[in-house]
CSV table of all heavy atoms in Angstrom, one decimal:
chain,number,residue,atom,x,y,z
R,229,LEU,N,-1.0,-2.2,26.4
R,229,LEU,CA,-0.8,-3.0,25.2
R,229,LEU,C,-1.1,-2.1,24.0
R,229,LEU,O,-2.3,-1.7,23.8
R,229,LEU,CB,-1.7,-4.2,25.2
R,229,LEU,CG,-1.5,-5.2,24.0
R,229,LEU,CD1,-0.1,-5.8,24.1
R,229,LEU,CD2,-2.5,-6.3,24.1
R,230,LEU,N,-0.1,-1.7,23.2
R,230,LEU,CA,-0.3,-0.8,22.1
R,230,LEU,C,-0.3,-1.5,20.8
R,230,LEU,O,0.8,-1.9,20.3
R,230,LEU,CB,0.8,0.3,22.2
R,230,LEU,CG,0.7,1.4,21.1
R,230,LEU,CD1,-0.6,2.2,21.2
R,230,LEU,CD2,1.9,2.3,21.2
R,231,LYS,N,-1.5,-1.6,20.2
R,231,LYS,CA,-1.5,-2.3,18.9
R,231,LYS,C,-1.1,-1.3,17.8
R,231,LYS,O,-1.2,-0.1,17.9
R,231,LYS,CB,-3.0,-2.8,18.6
R,231,LYS,CG,-3.4,-3.9,19.6
R,231,LYS,CD,-4.5,-4.7,19.0
R,231,LYS,CE,-4.4,-6.2,19.3
R,231,LYS,NZ,-5.4,-6.9,18.5
R,232,ARG,N,-0.5,-1.9,16.8
R,232,ARG,CA,0.0,-1.1,15.7
R,232,ARG,C,-1.2,-0.7,14.8
R,232,ARG,O,-2.1,-1.4,14.5
R,232,ARG,CB,0.9,-2.0,14.8
R,232,ARG,CG,1.6,-1.2,13.6
R,232,ARG,CD,2.5,-2.1,12.9
R,232,ARG,NE,3.2,-1.4,11.8
R,232,ARG,CZ,4.0,-2.0,11.0
R,232,ARG,NH1,4.4,-3.3,11.2
R,232,ARG,NH2,4.6,-1.4,10.0
R,233,GLY,N,-1.2,0.6,14.4
R,233,GLY,CA,-2.2,1.1,13.5
R,233,GLY,C,-2.1,0.5,12.1
R,233,GLY,O,-1.0,0.1,11.7
R,234,LEU,N,-3.2,0.5,11.4
R,234,LEU,CA,-3.3,-0.2,10.1
R,234,LEU,C,-2.3,0.5,9.0
R,234,LEU,O,-1.9,-0.1,8.1
R,234,LEU,CB,-4.7,-0.1,9.5
R,234,LEU,CG,-5.6,-1.2,9.9
R,234,LEU,CD1,-6.2,-1.0,11.3
R,234,LEU,CD2,-6.8,-1.3,8.9
R,235,ALA,N,-2.1,1.8,9.3
R,235,ALA,CA,-1.2,2.5,8.3
R,235,ALA,C,0.0,3.1,9.0
R,235,ALA,O,0.6,4.0,8.5
R,235,ALA,CB,-2.0,3.7,7.7
R,236,ALA,N,0.3,2.5,10.1
R,236,ALA,CA,1.4,3.1,10.9
R,236,ALA,C,2.8,2.4,10.6
R,236,ALA,O,2.9,1.2,10.6
R,236,ALA,CB,1.2,2.9,12.4
R,237,THR,N,3.8,3.2,10.3
R,237,THR,CA,5.1,2.7,10.1
R,237,THR,C,5.6,2.4,11.5
R,237,THR,O,5.0,2.8,12.5
R,237,THR,CB,6.1,3.8,9.5
R,237,THR,OG1,6.1,4.9,10.5
R,237,THR,CG2,5.6,4.3,8.2
R,238,ILE,N,6.7,1.6,11.5
R,238,ILE,CA,7.3,1.2,12.8
R,238,ILE,C,7.7,2.5,13.6
R,238,ILE,O,7.6,2.6,14.8
R,238,ILE,CB,8.4,0.2,12.6
R,238,ILE,CG1,7.8,-1.1,12.1
R,238,ILE,CG2,9.3,0.0,13.8
R,238,ILE,CD1,8.7,-2.2,11.7
R,239,ASP,N,8.2,3.5,12.8
R,239,ASP,CA,8.6,4.7,13.5
R,239,ASP,C,7.3,5.5,14.1
R,239,ASP,O,7.4,6.0,15.2
R,239,ASP,CB,9.3,5.7,12.5
R,239,ASP,CG,10.8,5.4,12.5
R,239,ASP,OD1,11.2,4.4,13.0
R,239,ASP,OD2,11.5,6.3,12.1
R,240,ASP,N,6.2,5.5,13.4
R,240,ASP,CA,5.0,6.1,13.9
R,240,ASP,C,4.6,5.4,15.2
R,240,ASP,O,4.1,6.0,16.2
R,240,ASP,CB,3.8,5.9,13.0
R,240,ASP,CG,3.9,6.7,11.7
R,240,ASP,OD1,4.6,7.7,11.7
R,240,ASP,OD2,3.2,6.4,10.7
R,241,TRP,N,4.7,4.1,15.2
R,241,TRP,CA,4.3,3.2,16.3
R,241,TRP,C,5.2,3.5,17.5
R,241,TRP,O,4.7,3.7,18.6
R,241,TRP,CB,4.5,1.8,15.9
R,241,TRP,CG,3.9,0.7,16.6
R,241,TRP,CD1,2.9,0.7,17.6
R,241,TRP,CD2,4.1,-0.7,16.4
R,241,TRP,NE1,2.6,-0.5,18.0
R,241,TRP,CE2,3.3,-1.4,17.3
R,241,TRP,CE3,5.0,-1.4,15.6
R,241,TRP,CZ2,3.4,-2.8,17.4
R,241,TRP,CZ3,5.0,-2.8,15.6
R,241,TRP,CH2,4.2,-3.5,16.5
R,242,LEU,N,6.5,3.6,17.3
R,242,LEU,CA,7.4,3.9,18.5
R,242,LEU,C,7.1,5.3,18.9
R,242,LEU,O,7.2,5.6,20.2
R,242,LEU,CB,8.8,3.6,18.1
R,242,LEU,CG,9.1,2.1,17.9
R,242,LEU,CD1,10.5,1.9,17.3
R,242,LEU,CD2,9.0,1.4,19.2
R,243,ASN,N,6.8,6.2,18.0
R,243,ASN,CA,6.5,7.6,18.5
R,243,ASN,C,5.2,7.6,19.3
R,243,ASN,O,5.1,8.3,20.3
R,243,ASN,CB,6.3,8.5,17.3
R,243,ASN,CG,7.6,9.2,16.9
R,243,ASN,OD1,8.3,9.8,17.7
R,243,ASN,ND2,8.0,9.0,15.7
R,244,ALA,N,4.2,6.7,18.9
R,244,ALA,CA,3.0,6.6,19.7
R,244,ALA,C,3.3,6.1,21.1
R,244,ALA,O,2.8,6.5,22.1
R,244,ALA,CB,2.0,5.7,19.0
R,245,SER,N,4.2,5.1,21.2
R,245,SER,CA,4.6,4.5,22.5
R,245,SER,C,5.2,5.6,23.4
R,245,SER,O,5.1,5.7,24.6
R,245,SER,CB,5.5,3.3,22.4
R,245,SER,OG,6.8,3.8,22.1
R,246,GLU,N,5.9,6.5,22.7
R,246,GLU,CA,6.6,7.6,23.4
R,246,GLU,C,5.6,8.5,24.1
R,246,GLU,O,5.9,9.1,25.2
R,246,GLU,CB,7.4,8.4,22.4
R,246,GLU,CG,8.4,9.4,22.9
R,246,GLU,CD,9.8,8.7,23.1
R,246,GLU,OE1,10.0,7.5,22.8
R,246,GLU,OE2,10.7,9.4,23.6
R,247,TYR,N,4.4,8.7,23.6
R,247,TYR,CA,3.4,9.4,24.2
R,247,TYR,C,3.0,8.8,25.6
R,247,TYR,O,2.7,9.5,26.6
R,247,TYR,CB,2.1,9.5,23.4
R,247,TYR,CG,2.0,10.7,22.4
R,247,TYR,CD1,2.5,10.6,21.1
R,247,TYR,CD2,1.5,11.9,22.9
R,247,TYR,CE1,2.4,11.7,20.3
R,247,TYR,CE2,1.4,13.0,22.0
R,247,TYR,CZ,1.8,12.9,20.7
R,247,TYR,OH,1.8,14.0,19.9
R,248,ILE,N,3.0,7.5,25.6
R,248,ILE,CA,2.6,6.8,26.9
R,248,ILE,C,3.8,6.9,27.9
R,248,ILE,O,3.6,7.3,29.0
R,248,ILE,CB,2.3,5.3,26.6
R,248,ILE,CG1,1.1,5.2,25.7
R,248,ILE,CG2,2.0,4.6,27.9
R,248,ILE,CD1,0.9,3.8,25.1
R,249,ILE,N,5.0,6.6,27.4
R,249,ILE,CA,6.2,6.6,28.3
R,249,ILE,C,6.5,8.0,28.8
R,249,ILE,O,6.9,8.1,30.0
R,249,ILE,CB,7.4,6.0,27.5
R,249,ILE,CG1,7.1,4.6,26.9
R,249,ILE,CG2,8.6,5.9,28.5
R,249,ILE,CD1,8.2,4.1,26.0
R,250,SER,N,6.2,9.0,28.0
R,250,SER,CA,6.6,10.3,28.4
R,250,SER,C,5.6,10.8,29.5
R,250,SER,O,5.8,11.9,30.1
R,250,SER,CB,6.7,11.3,27.3
R,250,SER,OG,5.5,11.4,26.6
R,251,GLU,N,4.6,10.1,29.8
R,251,GLU,CA,3.7,10.4,30.9
R,251,GLU,C,4.3,9.7,32.2
R,251,GLU,O,3.6,9.6,33.2
R,251,GLU,CB,2.3,9.9,30.7
R,251,GLU,CG,1.5,10.7,29.6
R,251,GLU,CD,1.3,12.1,29.9
R,251,GLU,OE1,1.2,12.5,31.1
R,251,GLU,OE2,1.2,12.9,28.9
R,252,GLY,N,5.5,9.1,32.1
R,252,GLY,CA,6.1,8.5,33.3
R,252,GLY,C,5.7,7.0,33.4
R,252,GLY,O,5.9,6.4,34.4
R,253,ASN,N,5.2,6.4,32.3
R,253,ASN,CA,4.7,5.0,32.4
R,253,ASN,C,5.5,4.2,31.3
R,253,ASN,O,5.1,4.2,30.2
R,253,ASN,CB,3.2,5.0,32.0
R,253,ASN,CG,2.6,3.6,32.1
R,253,ASN,OD1,3.3,2.6,32.2
R,253,ASN,ND2,1.3,3.6,32.1
R,254,PRO,N,6.5,3.5,31.8
R,254,PRO,CA,7.3,2.8,30.8
R,254,PRO,C,6.8,1.4,30.5
R,254,PRO,O,7.4,0.6,29.7
R,254,PRO,CB,8.7,2.6,31.6
R,254,PRO,CG,8.3,2.5,33.1
R,254,PRO,CD,7.0,3.4,33.2
R,255,ASN,N,5.6,1.1,31.0
R,255,ASN,CA,5.1,-0.3,30.9
R,255,ASN,C,4.3,-0.5,29.6
R,255,ASN,O,3.1,-0.8,29.6
R,255,ASN,CB,4.2,-0.6,32.1
R,255,ASN,CG,5.0,-0.4,33.4
R,255,ASN,OD1,6.0,-1.0,33.6
R,255,ASN,ND2,4.4,0.5,34.3
R,256,VAL,N,5.0,-0.4,28.5
R,256,VAL,CA,4.3,-0.5,27.2
R,256,VAL,C,4.7,-1.8,26.6
R,256,VAL,O,5.9,-2.2,26.5
R,256,VAL,CB,4.7,0.6,26.3
R,256,VAL,CG1,4.1,0.5,24.9
R,256,VAL,CG2,4.3,2.0,26.9
R,257,VAL,N,3.7,-2.6,26.0
R,257,VAL,CA,4.0,-3.8,25.2
R,257,VAL,C,3.4,-3.5,23.9
R,257,VAL,O,2.2,-3.1,23.8
R,257,VAL,CB,3.3,-5.0,25.9
R,257,VAL,CG1,3.4,-6.2,25.0
R,257,VAL,CG2,3.9,-5.3,27.3
R,258,LEU,N,4.2,-3.7,22.8
R,258,LEU,CA,3.7,-3.5,21.5
R,258,LEU,C,3.0,-4.8,20.9
R,258,LEU,O,3.4,-5.9,21.3
R,258,LEU,CB,4.9,-3.2,20.6
R,258,LEU,CG,5.7,-1.9,21.0
R,258,LEU,CD1,6.9,-1.8,20.2
R,258,LEU,CD2,4.8,-0.7,20.9
R,259,CYS,N,2.1,-4.6,20.0
R,259,CYS,CA,1.4,-5.8,19.4
R,259,CYS,C,1.2,-5.6,17.9
R,259,CYS,O,0.5,-4.7,17.5
R,259,CYS,CB,0.0,-6.0,20.1
R,259,CYS,SG,-0.9,-7.4,19.4
R,260,GLU,N,2.0,-6.4,17.2
R,260,GLU,CA,1.8,-6.4,15.7
R,260,GLU,C,0.6,-7.2,15.3
R,260,GLU,O,0.4,-8.3,15.7
R,260,GLU,CB,3.1,-7.1,15.1
R,260,GLU,CG,2.9,-7.5,13.6
R,260,GLU,CD,2.7,-6.4,12.6
R,260,GLU,OE1,3.2,-5.3,12.8
R,260,GLU,OE2,2.0,-6.6,11.6
R,261,ARG,N,-0.3,-6.5,14.5
R,261,ARG,CA,-1.6,-7.2,14.2
R,261,ARG,C,-2.0,-7.0,12.7
R,261,ARG,O,-3.1,-7.1,12.4
R,261,ARG,CB,-2.7,-6.7,15.1
R,261,ARG,CG,-2.7,-5.2,15.4
R,261,ARG,CD,-3.3,-4.4,14.3
R,261,ARG,NE,-4.8,-4.6,14.2
R,261,ARG,CZ,-5.5,-4.6,13.1
R,261,ARG,NH1,-4.8,-4.4,11.9
R,261,ARG,NH2,-6.8,-4.8,13.1
Side-chain angles (χ1 to χ4, degrees):
Chain R
L229 183 66
L230 180 63
K231 291 200 143 191
R232 182 176 181 183
L234 276 78
T237 62
I238 289 174
D239 270 22
D240 288 341
W241 194 13
L242 290 172
N243 271 304
S245 78
E246 195 88 0
Y247 268 93
I248 300 166
I249 307 174
S250 62
E251 295 293 333
N253 184 348
N255 305 304
V256 177
V257 175
L258 303 171
C259 179
E260 162 64 32
R261 44 80 71 215

